[in-house]
Amino acid sequence: MQISLQQQVALVTGASSGLGEGAARALAAAGAAVVVNYNSHAEPAEKLVEEIRAAGGQAVAIGADVSQEEQVEKLFAQTLEHFGHLDILVANSGLQKDAPLVDMSLADWNTVINVNLTGQFLCARAALRQFISQGMRPGVSRAMGKIIHMSSVHQLIPWAGHANYAASKGGVDLLMRSIAQEVGEQHIRVNSIAPGAIRTAINQQAMQGDGEAKMLKLIPYGRVGEAEDVANAVVWLASDLSDYVHGTTLFIDGGMSLYPEFRGNG
Ligand code: NAD
């Protein structure tokens, strides 16, 4: 079945690399006009925009730090200046600042919470305000708007040495479900994706040496994920094919959240 997102505008945060880049590319291939948000590196974002345009799509790169209220407001205002409306938000930006809890600095705690959780709040709020002010767009989508939060298997699985990250993603889960409960009646769909181990910059170090082999022990399906695995789910969640999917987290993890340590009777 072919998914078409023609006439829709998608904003993807943190789209200059990894899962955001993959999502932006896939949304554009499905026909959406795409805003490629980046934080500090404009060049890869501009390169992706060129690639999308060369393939006949529409895209623009806009810089903004998602943890800064004013910058988020500007990002959404610039999105409207370029494309006139907004239909899909993929709140993807995220980072890790790992340390055992006893060594974790308040600065690293705050950075992770500010980007991974407050950034999701600021972007979701701006998207909701825009969806509500523009109203339904009959013939374009059955929903008034769609929000996809990028969470992690660590919204469920505790993660020693990464307490700030796990706390931020646990927060994303209840943020997403609370928003979904709040705006469902307005036909705004809100869901999360919880990736497991997907090959991107965020876990490049963890995959080095025997890292990948160790990781595979945690993945019943027997392979590390690729950005495309997540991008395909983003496109589906953004489309009317998932119109009755609301307030849910889709785990894309090759079974990592199935407690694989219990294979062989634990
Ligand atoms: P990545 O490092 O390639 O991408 C993260 C993106 O977020 C980067 O483009 C970065 O510029 C952006 N970003 C960071 N701080 C920002 C800020 N203040 N404002 C705007 N953008 C900012 O890694 P990724 O794997 O593509 O991560 C994308 C999302 O997926 C993150 O939320 C991450 O937590 C989540 N995730 C990834 C995996 C995985 O295995 N790769 C697993 C679970 C969850």
Side-chain angles (χ1 to χ4, degrees):
M1 192 178 294
Q2 195 80 24
I3 292 180
S4 172
L5 299 174
Q6 290 290 343
Q7 298 179 60
Q8 300 198 44
V9 177
L11 165 54
V12 184
T13 68
S16 59
S17 65
L19 303 187
E21 178 185 342
R25 187 178 282 118
L27 288 163
V34 179
V35 176
V36 176
N37 160 251
Y38 62 92
N39 182 25
S40 48
H41 302 301
E43 202 183 305
E46 296 289 0
K47 205 169 147 224
L48 177 59
V49 165
E50 273 170 36
E51 181 195 313
I52 291 171
R53 287 183 182 160
Q58 293 182 72
V60 65
I62 303 178
D65 177 341
V66 296
S67 67
Q68 301 299 316
E69 186 174 23
E70 274 178 27
Q71 292 190 37
V72 170
E73 293 301 310
K74 212 166 144 200
L75 167 66
F76 279 75
Q78 286 177 292
T79 297
L80 293 187
E81 276 166 30
H82 276 280
F83 293 126
H85 56 267
L86 179 72
D87 304 277
I88 300 155
L89 166 68
V90 184
N92 164 77
S93 292
L95 46 72
Q96 290 178 217
K97 298 265 178 201
D98 309 326
L101 200 85
V102 289
D103 298 327
M104 191 175 285
S105 67
L106 178 60
D108 282 357
W109 170 269
N110 282 338
T111 300
V112 171
I113 297 296
N114 288 345
V115 174
N116 294 13
L117 184 54
T118 307
Q120 298 262 343
F121 154 68
L122 290 172
C123 290
R125 186 182 66 175
L128 290 174
R129 287 176 175 168
Q130 179 55 29
F131 296 156
I132 292 163
S133 83
Q134 73 196 17
M136 291 297 289
R137 302 183 62 232
V140 173
S141 173
R142 292 180 73 182
M144 196 196 264
K146 284 107 16 166
I147 296 178
I148 300 163
H149 294 278
M150 199 60 74
S151 184
S152 162
V153 286
H154 295 295
Q155 74 169 42
L156 177 72
I157 305 173
W159 204 12
H162 310 256
N164 47 4
Y165 184 81
S168 73
K169 297 299 188 180
V172 168
D173 179 35
L174 269 172
L175 173 69
M176 178 280 287
R177 289 195 286 147
S178 300
I179 299 173
Q181 199 185 56
E182 197 168 314
V183 302
E185 271 182 4
Q186 285 152 292
H187 284 277
I188 296 170
R189 285 198 302 114
V190 188
N191 292 287
S192 288
I193 288 175
I198 317 289
R199 207 183 303 278
T200 68
I202 215 170
N203 53 28
Q204 206 168 19
Q205 252 186 326
M207 298 276 191
Q208 275 168 1
D210 62 351
E212 183 158 344
K214 278 190 186 158
M215 192 87 81
L216 285 175
K217 290 191 182 145
L218 300 176
I219 308 172
Y221 197 60
R223 71 169 171 88
V224 168
E226 304 295 337
E228 215 179 28
D229 292 313
V230 173
N232 289 337
V234 167
V235 170
W236 179 73
L237 274 178
S239 79
D240 281 353
L241 284 187
S242 61
D243 189 56
Y244 207 50
V245 180
H246 179 58
T248 282
T249 297
L250 187 52
F251 284 78
I252 303 194
D253 66 351
M256 188 180 251
S257 50
L258 296 173
Y259 299 94
E261 297 87 344
F262 280 82
R263 282 176 293 192
N265 213 19

